[in-house]
Amino acid sequence: MRHTAPQATGASMADDASSEMTAEQKKAMRDEKKKQKEAEKAAKEARKREEQEALKRKQDELEALSKDIEFLSVEEGHQPTQLFGTYKVIRSACASTGSGRTFTPIESLGTSLEGQHVWCRARVANVRGKGKAAFLVLRQMRGTAQALVEESDIVPRDMIKWISKEITAESIVDVFGLVKLAEVKSCTVSDVELFVSRLYLVSKADPLPFLLEDAARPAHVDGAHVLRDTRLDNRAIDLRVPAHKAIMRVQGGVCALFREHLSAKSFIEIHSPKLISGASEGGANVFQLDYFGLPACLAQSPQLYKQMAICADFERVFEIGHVFRAEKSNTHRHLTEFIGLDIEMQIDEHYMEVMRTLDHMFVAIFDGLTQHFRADLDTVAAQYPFEPLRYKPAGENIILEFPEGVRLLREAGYEIGDHDDMNTELERALGSIVKEKYDTDFFILCSFPSAVRPFYTMPSPTNPDYSNSFDVFIRGEEIVSGAQRIHVPEMLIERAKGCGIDLDTIKDYVDAFRYGAPPHGGAGVGLERVVMLYLALPNVRECCLFARDPKRLTP
Amino acid sequence: MRHTAPQATGASMADDASSEMTAEQKKAMRDEKKKQKEAEKAAKEARKREEQEALKRKQDELEALSKDIEFLSVEEGHQPTQLFGTYKVIRSACASTGSGRTFTPIESLGTSLEGQHVWCRARVANVRGKGKAAFLVLRQMRGTAQALVEESDIVPRDMIKWISKEITAESIVDVFGLVKLAEVKSCTVSDVELFVSRLYLVSKADPLPFLLEDAARPAHVDGAHVLRDTRLDNRAIDLRVPAHKAIMRVQGGVCALFREHLSAKSFIEIHSPKLISGASEGGANVFQLDYFGLPACLAQSPQLYKQMAICADFERVFEIGHVFRAEKSNTHRHLTEFIGLDIEMQIDEHYMEVMRTLDHMFVAIFDGLTQHFRADLDTVAAQYPFEPLRYKPAGENIILEFPEGVRLLREAGYEIGDHDDMNTELERALGSIVKEKYDTDFFILCSFPSAVRPFYTMPSPTNPDYSNSFDVFIRGEEIVSGAQRIHVPEMLIERAKGCGIDLDTIKDYVDAFRYGAPPHGGAGVGLERVVMLYLALPNVRECCLFARDPKRLTP
């Protein structure tokens, strides 16, 4: 309808008509325009007055507030009502109900708050003084926003000077300001900025060992980068990098999704002891210590204890707990202390039940990450670009028999014996072959040769050279080892003998199966490896809060 | 309408009328009754035939099935189709899709399954052979049910004999049987029993070190009881006692509710290292070990690391993890290894924010337990009767200042100095006083004397003799210690000096606060203590999967 209505195009018609207007008409029009301009100016001034009055009211409120709040008072010699300064140490000196201030998270700043005054407590990512103004970038969690402090009726020049002098990068500040529309390209909050009228220093930062922006710079982007070891030496600073914190959130997400999925499937959470009397996975690579005069070890896995829980009729258990390996492996994927996501479950008939449980569980984890951790995945990808993981729907993921894996590798020209273990190179090669053939980064390899599995692994019922065991792979790297376990004492003894294990050292373990033991199987997942491979990160140390390897015991 | 219709009361009218009936009428009536009885008999026989035919069909199906399922074949010399026997070791010999059998959980047996045939895999709680019949009590999780094997057309006497001879208590069996109505007083499944027609031994139990029924007998009930140490020495058996397993489920429930509540409040899950270079809580009571030639310790708490996470802007974190204390305390509430539920959070202004977070969190846990773990609580209470915990709604729980606690104790005649720590006796006394006065088993005591808290505790802003710290109590025992922490390096150094701590040993810790540190506080909860006190159990060792104390490193 609109294009046919003359009033809709009135403005252009008036322009066309103006050439035919009389001088009188023209004067009237000029007067009209002048009037309009004056009215606009008056309105603008009124708005400004209103704005300033609103701010004044806020300031007055704050001053009234300040009288009751010790922490808003600042260093000796300053008035508690001043607009800027360094807080006394915040130490619960105010009323226990607090000052009534609420802090707005940086991430939630946006056009919906336009024209409102807000308090923010945030870190200063950087600060620039520039004559009559200071620009700050505030950072909190995944969010950054621009804050502007401009000399005006309500912002004295002293304040700008003080900011330029006192506020260092990575200091924590409280700011009070007006949310105004703005286009800010360099911050995550890109549609508003904060016009600051009060600014207090909560905690001042010393000069940092490296610049956060260098630690946050993607490898493929030109500019300074920080060595991993330097970052890990200063991990509490390194973790302020949004992508590095996002990796930790993803780690927490994997744990939460693991638990959620298994709890819904009637798995019971357990916590098994880490101080044990004997090595849980054979004598090698174990940390030893003195336990009130007795020799003790740190558990290399919850293996024995989760199996004992099954013997105690827990039916299905999971544990998220520390695993300790005194292994001198300085690779991209080995840690001396990591988090094991362990499961153990009764099986009715076949260890396929365990593999299918893992298949469903991992799909729930992968799906859950993309559904509920989108922002974190994007934050990681911005610094460490990665291809999303390819996998099949639950219950449909690829399960290959070991001999089939060997066949595929040989077809591709790799050499491997029938009963050899696969090294990292072969694992990666198999991963590529499977990706090519089945379009998946996620698969299970089962029926491993008995020779390369622990003694407690149930041998195959048809060929003792193979076993009821499996590994799970992501992007061609092993993240899970699992198997059906031997639940018959005599069989366990026979296998242990065959593996040359001293029977005395496993007596308690063997005896645990003498009072009726259900058939069962389980698996151990390396949390940090799952995170590393899901995100296609180059090193497992990026996926720990504080990594431990043979050369690193601190921080 | 019904009460006015004569046909509705026909039966009673006929009875009244019978006295007036003729002989002929009476004969007709007798004939009618006879006919009815015959019809009933015929129907009953038909039902029985039908039942037997249904069973026969099932048996035939099973025989057909058996041919394909290796695990249903039994020991050498037996036919795979036989009705009873010992399985070969179940080791994934069947098709990987399984036999298609589904096992019905004991707990779900009931009248709704009447007349149906089911498979159950369960433990034999006890077995009695009695001439032509064998009675078994089957146990699985919280459920027990009676199974009857009676000589009949389909159950040969040999089967009864074999059961009496081969099936030992605590063995695991597969049974196939008909669900029939019955009144069974001694089992949790009280309205049906299982008429067994097939029974296979999955795993045979050796004689046990103690009877499970003795370990399950409430302390106040006459009969044999098993010493705690004997039970703990055989914990994999002891945990089969339904109440003992229920305690572990409650433990898992506390963890799940803790995480659920905190995750919803934007807390991030972390896992901090347990292998550390220095003692986390001062030099005493620490397990030491060799770390590739360097001296290392086991973390006594995640204190430093959760504070570093706060310095890295995680804002709010929680951890569920192992805590190690080389403390020679042989009490009912000390362990050398336990699970810490730790939180640490930025505070805006006051450590009340931490206390209120805990108040809300514990109420969520307590409420969640009663809502979602009713069956487990009932199972525990059946063996260990306890009064439900009294507490206030979230946000309304009692927070007492330490001096007020001292005043209440003195009023009640106890002696305590102004700045003394409270021993167990005083804690219990205060618990009683608070219970009496406020009708609650749950409260927080805050503003502890500085002298009895760690050096990193923020001193009170008004009186340096006191600190911004607190303990949480359940039933008069401490379960949580928490505080505002010092976030200013200079202040930390001053306090450490005052406490006589060697500054060299805490340099890394102090330095962590030099790059801008937000005000923060936190707390550590002892998981096993919470479970013990919520359930009013006498000993924390009942609340661990496998307890560790100065005298116990196994199993």
Side-chain angles (χ1 to χ4, degrees), chain A residues 90 92 99 123 203 206 259 269 272 274-275 291 311 313 322 336-337 349 484 514 517 548-549, chain B residues 90 92 99 123 203 206 240 259 269 272 274-275 291 313 322 336-337 349 484 514 517 548-549:
Chain A
I90 293 179
S92 314
S99 67
R123 219 173 263 281
S203 175
D206 283 358
R259 285 186 300 249
E269 179 170 15
S272 66
K274 303 308 165 202
L275 292 169
Y291 188 85
C311 290
D313 296 341
H322 277 72
T336 53
E337 177 181 6
E349 304 169 339
Q484 183 183 354
R514 295 199 186 279
R548 291 290 179 264
D549 64 34
Chain B
I90 294 178
S92 314
S99 67
R123 221 173 259 281
S203 175
D206 283 357
R240 292 180 193 168
R259 286 186 300 248
E269 179 170 14
S272 66
K274 303 308 164 202
L275 293 169
Y291 188 85
D313 296 341
H322 278 73
T336 54
E337 178 182 7
E349 304 170 336
Q484 184 183 353
R514 295 199 185 279
R548 291 289 180 263
D549 64 34

Side-chain angles (χ1 to χ4, degrees), chain A residues 304-432:
Chain A
L304 168 56
Y305 292 93
K306 60 182 186 168
Q307 288 192 255
M308 282 171 84
I310 297 299
C311 290
D313 296 341
F314 280 63
E315 295 187 0
R316 315 179 125 206
V317 296
F318 72 84
E319 175 166 5
I320 296 185
H322 277 72
V323 168
F324 304 93
R325 304 269 168 99
E327 203 173 347
K328 265 210 163 161
S329 297
N330 292 295
T331 76
H332 75 287
R333 64 177 190 160
H334 282 89
L335 295 166
T336 53
E337 177 181 6
F338 61 90
I339 305 299
L341 308 180
D342 268 272
I343 70 163
E344 199 72 22
M345 57 187 274
Q346 281 194 21
I347 59 174
D348 289 340
E349 304 169 339
H350 200 288
Y351 79 111
M352 180 61 84
E353 297 163 36
V354 183
M355 291 190 279
R356 280 298 171 213
T357 298
L358 285 168
D359 173 350
H360 284 257
M361 184 193 87
F362 274 109
V363 170
I365 291 174
F366 301 153
D367 286 352
L369 288 178
T370 48
Q371 279 162 28
H372 307 301
F373 291 82
R374 192 70 264 165
D376 293 303
L377 298 180
D378 290 346
T379 303
V380 175
Q383 183 170 353
Y384 303 97
F386 67 95
E387 288 291 315
L389 194 78
R390 305 278 308 158
Y391 57 96
K392 310 282 179 198
E396 296 175 24
N397 281 289
I398 305 301
I399 301 181
L400 286 181
E401 300 262 337
F402 191 88
E404 170 69 1
V406 168
R407 199 183 61 75
L408 290 172
L409 281 169
R410 286 179 185 159
E411 259 180 26
Y414 292 91
E415 277 182 30
I416 176 171
D418 281 349
H419 305 147
D420 287 357
D421 207 357
M422 287 184 195
N423 59 22
T424 309
E425 189 208 344
L426 288 173
E427 284 182 358
R428 286 211 170 133
L430 184 60
S432 299

Side-chain angles (χ1 to χ4, degrees), chain A residues 115-418:
Chain A
Q116 293 188 33
H117 283 90
V118 296
W119 278 103
C120 293
R121 177 168 296 169
R123 219 173 263 281
V124 176
N126 65 60
V127 54
R128 279 181 299 135
K130 215 176 159 183
K132 291 185 173 182
F135 295 86
L136 297 94
V137 174
L138 302 177
R139 191 188 71 239
Q140 191 188 19
M141 282 292 171
R142 282 177 295 244
T144 52
Q146 181 160 282
L148 178 60
V149 198
E150 218 174 22
E151 191 182 336
S152 69
D153 296 351
I154 51 165
V155 173
R157 174 165 292 205
D158 273 0
M159 183 164 166
I160 316 284
K161 277 190 195 161
W162 178 82
I163 290 171
S164 303
K165 185 169 152 271
E166 289 295 326
I167 303 296
T168 53
E170 293 300 306
S171 289
I172 297 170
V173 294
D174 277 2
V175 297
F176 177 75
L178 179 68
V179 180
K180 283 197 176 181
L181 294 186
E183 200 180 322
V184 186
K185 280 187 183 154
S186 55
C187 291
T188 67
V189 175
S190 56
D191 47 8
V192 296
E193 63 182 353
L194 214 53
F195 262 66
V196 172
S197 52
R198 289 177 165 241
L199 191 149
Y200 304 98
L201 182 56
V202 175
S203 175
K204 185 169 179 168
D206 283 358
L208 269 70
F210 53 81
L211 292 183
L212 229 63
E213 58 193 273
D214 292 343
R217 185 165 288 124
H220 59 275
V221 171
D222 282 346
H225 295 88
V226 187
L227 288 176
R228 179 174 297 121
D229 269 336
T230 309
R231 291 196 287 104
L232 296 186
D233 286 343
N234 299 279
R235 185 65 164 157
I237 296 166
D238 181 51
L239 283 168
R240 293 182 194 168
V241 172
H244 299 169
K245 193 178 287 104
I247 294 169
M248 289 300 110
R249 278 173 175 277
V250 170
Q251 197 211 59
V254 172
C255 292
L257 293 161
F258 172 84
R259 285 186 300 249
E260 192 182 296
H261 180 79
L262 294 176
S263 297
K265 305 266 178 211
S266 302
F267 279 76
I268 300 176
E269 179 170 15
I270 60 167
H271 301 281
S272 66
K274 303 308 165 202
L275 292 169
I276 60 175
S277 64
S280 45
E281 298 283 336
N285 300 335
V286 64
F287 288 110
Q288 295 178 305
L289 70 156
D290 173 77
Y291 188 85
F292 302 100
L294 288 174
C297 299
L298 291 183
Q300 293 162 291
S301 76
Q303 190 62 34
L304 168 56
Y305 292 93
K306 60 182 186 168
Q307 288 192 255
M308 282 171 84
I310 297 299
C311 290
D313 296 341
F314 280 63
E315 295 187 0
R316 315 179 125 206
V317 296
F318 72 84
E319 175 166 5
I320 296 185
H322 277 72
V323 168
F324 304 93
R325 304 269 168 99
E327 203 173 347
K328 265 210 163 161
S329 297
N330 292 295
T331 76
H332 75 287
R333 64 177 190 160
H334 282 89
L335 295 166
T336 53
E337 177 181 6
F338 61 90
I339 305 299
L341 308 180
D342 268 272
I343 70 163
E344 199 72 22
M345 57 187 274
Q346 281 194 21
I347 59 174
D348 289 340
E349 304 169 339
H350 200 288
Y351 79 111
M352 180 61 84
E353 297 163 36
V354 183
M355 291 190 279
R356 280 298 171 213
T357 298
L358 285 168
D359 173 350
H360 284 257
M361 184 193 87
F362 274 109
V363 170
I365 291 174
F366 301 153
D367 286 352
L369 288 178
T370 48
Q371 279 162 28
H372 307 301
F373 291 82
R374 192 70 264 165
D376 293 303
L377 298 180
D378 290 346
T379 303
V380 175
Q383 183 170 353
Y384 303 97
F386 67 95
E387 288 291 315
L389 194 78
R390 305 278 308 158
Y391 57 96
K392 310 282 179 198
E396 296 175 24
N397 281 289
I398 305 301
I399 301 181
L400 286 181
E401 300 262 337
F402 191 88
E404 170 69 1
V406 168
R407 199 183 61 75
L408 290 172
L409 281 169
R410 286 179 185 159
E411 259 180 26
Y414 292 91
E415 277 182 30
I416 176 171
D418 281 349

Side-chain angles (χ1 to χ4, degrees), chain B residues 500-521:
Chain B
I501 289 168
D502 178 1
L503 296 181
D504 283 348
T505 63
I506 57 162
K507 189 178 175 300
D508 282 349
Y509 180 66
V510 172
D511 286 347
F513 302 100
R514 295 199 185 279
Y515 308 105
H520 64 285

Side-chain angles (χ1 to χ4, degrees), chain B residues 222-295:
Chain B
D222 282 346
H225 295 88
V226 187
L227 289 175
R228 179 173 297 122
D229 268 338
T230 309
R231 290 195 289 104
L232 296 185
D233 286 344
N234 298 279
R235 185 66 165 157
I237 297 166
D238 182 50
L239 283 168
R240 292 180 193 168
V241 171
H244 298 169
K245 193 179 286 102
I247 294 169
M248 289 302 109
R249 278 174 176 277
V250 170
Q251 198 211 60
V254 172
C255 293
L257 293 161
F258 173 85
R259 286 186 300 248
E260 193 183 294
H261 180 79
L262 293 176
S263 298
K265 305 265 177 212
S266 303
F267 279 75
I268 300 176
E269 179 170 14
I270 59 167
H271 301 282
S272 66
K274 303 308 164 202
L275 293 169
I276 60 175
S277 64
S280 45
E281 299 282 337
N285 302 333
V286 63
F287 288 110
Q288 295 179 305
L289 71 156
D290 173 77
Y291 188 85
F292 302 100
L294 289 174

